[in-house]
Amino acid sequence: MTLHGNPAPKQRGYSPSRRLNRTALLAGAVVILFAVSVLLGSYTVTIPDFFKILVAHLTGGEKIPGASFIVMENKLPRAVIGTMIGLAFGLAGALFQTMLRNPLASPDVIGISYGASAAAVLAIVVFGASGAAVSGAALAGALGVAAIIYAISSGAIRGTGRGDAAGNRLILSGVGIAAALHAVVNFLMTRADIRTAADALVWLNGSLNSASWDRAGVLALALLLLLPATAAIAGPLRILELGPDAAAGLGVRVNPTRLALVIIAVSLAAVATATAGPVSFVAFLAGPIARRFTGKASLPASALVGALIVLAADFVAANLAPLLLDGTVLPVGVITGALGAPFLLWLLVTANRKDA
């Protein structure tokens, strides 16, 4: 079974204008779901009241008791962060999958998320860290593990100096390191007291319960740097899809371009994970779903699908799950994980059918 190969041939009926229209539909769906997340749920807010609360918050006017706090300190920052981490995870997954031409190449599978998780749990359990310190540890862990994976896959550690980071080697390196880090996390959890373990477990599942404007601001600043970088690298990425030999023949510096793509993709996944934890399978799901919806690999569509997945999953976790579970609010990562596992199995089954 192979899950990689040449890019899929252009599908009939999917003109550039149609893909643009479908991407616009995804953008509209994100706006609608964002509004649903803010206005509806366990506490509903009318549209006039929402704008009254927003204007009062911005101008220092009279606040609506209770409602102003719920909207401005809970629902709105939660929706803003959910949208941004969805965009970041969706882009990160699409960059890896497109560059390596392999649907399994996402931060969830190749160990980036586990690097963040292991570093964060180490900070929580061993050093008693919380808040920004945990986010910083997660960011450092993701970047550090990504550097190790890239070095192993490119042959730098073996001294070959090729630096080509072939897709299969990168994925296998990531899977191996992820398994080792998973064991580290399990060991740390066994050494923690019950309360510390509970805090770490919530973070490990990925949660928007601790969303705040401070975290939203840091994430927004990171995306202001990373989104233009993604747009700048999109052109060489399209040429790289043709294969390394063809791309080199067309003037693309393959190894530096791949390294830049890895840095950008890892940074997107790392800042999102540092903000809300490793929300599982969003990066893995966004690219394939966007490709099937638009007819071709698309970075904007993948980002929008990632935002849709997170917003929808968080609405279910925060508002619908408590109705079924006696008031228990689930972390958003529990819902995305429940969606991602069957999708992975379906992907493997369909790949087997194609290879048969």
Side-chain angles (χ1 to χ4, degrees):
M1 180 188 72
T2 58
L3 286 173
H4 59 88
N6 294 327
K10 186 176 181 180
Q11 300 183 27
R12 296 178 180 178
Y14 285 96
S15 63
S17 61
R18 186 171 180 180
R19 286 198 299 272
L20 184 62
N21 290 338
R22 294 201 168 197
T23 303
L25 284 176
L26 289 174
V30 170
V31 173
I32 292 172
L33 199 50
F34 183 93
V36 168
S37 299
V38 175
L39 300 177
L40 304 180
S42 57
Y43 187 92
T44 60
V45 182
T46 64
I47 294 177
D49 281 347
F50 169 76
F51 283 107
K52 186 184 297 183
I53 291 169
L54 184 61
V55 171
H57 181 81
L58 295 175
T59 61
E62 183 179 358
K63 298 181 179 179
I64 301 176
S68 295
F69 178 83
I70 292 174
V71 170
M72 297 307 304
E73 302 301 328
N74 183 5
K75 295 172 76 72
L76 191 56
R78 189 182 188 111
V80 168
I81 288 180
T83 302
M84 289 194 292
I85 67 167
L87 293 172
F89 278 129
L91 275 178
L95 286 172
F96 274 119
Q97 290 164 350
T98 304
M99 176 183 67
L100 301 175
R101 297 184 293 169
N102 192 319
L104 290 181
S106 78
D108 305 293
V109 176
I110 64 175
I112 307 301
S113 297
Y114 275 109
S117 299
V121 172
L122 179 68
I124 293 171
V125 174
V126 177
F127 300 104
S130 62
V134 176
S135 298
L139 181 61
L143 295 174
V145 167
I148 294 172
I149 293 171
Y150 187 86
I152 293 174
S153 63
S154 66
I157 288 180
R158 296 191 304 272
T160 62
R162 291 177 61 192
D164 54 355
N168 287 339
R169 290 206 305 273
L170 192 146
I171 293 172
L172 291 174
S173 300
V175 170
I177 291 177
L181 292 174
H182 183 67
V184 171
V185 169
N186 287 338
F187 172 76
L188 291 171
M189 293 292 283
T190 63
R191 308 303 298 174
D193 60 74
I194 294 177
R195 179 170 295 183
T196 303
D199 292 340
L201 187 60
V202 170
W203 195 93
L204 283 172
N205 284 320
S207 175
L208 296 176
N209 293 340
S210 59
S212 66
W213 288 116
D214 290 339
R215 293 192 176 194
V218 173
L219 181 57
L221 288 175
L223 292 182
L224 284 176
L225 296 175
L226 292 172
L227 293 182
T230 303
I233 206 70
L237 175 62
R238 290 177 63 86
I239 300 175
L240 200 59
E241 286 185 79
L242 301 173
D245 294 335
L250 292 172
V252 174
R253 299 175 63 191
V254 175
N255 289 343
T257 301
R258 276 180 168 167
L259 179 58
L261 283 165
V262 169
I263 291 173
I264 294 170
V266 168
S267 298
L268 285 165
V271 296
T273 303
T275 302
V279 183
S280 59
F281 286 115
V282 177
F284 175 74
L285 291 169
I289 292 174
R291 188 180 304 112
R292 292 181 181 275
F293 186 73
T294 63
K296 189 176 181 181
S298 169
L299 293 181
S302 299
L304 292 170
V305 169
L308 281 173
I309 292 172
V310 174
L311 287 172
D314 187 57
F315 186 82
V316 171
N319 298 291
L320 301 184
L323 300 178
L324 304 174
L325 301 174
D326 296 326
T328 301
V329 177
L330 294 176
V332 64
V334 172
I335 305 298
T336 59
L339 293 173
F343 186 87
L344 175 59
L345 295 176
W346 174 82
L347 182 63
L348 294 172
V349 169
T350 55
N352 280 330
R353 288 177 180 173
K354 291 178 182 178
D355 292 338

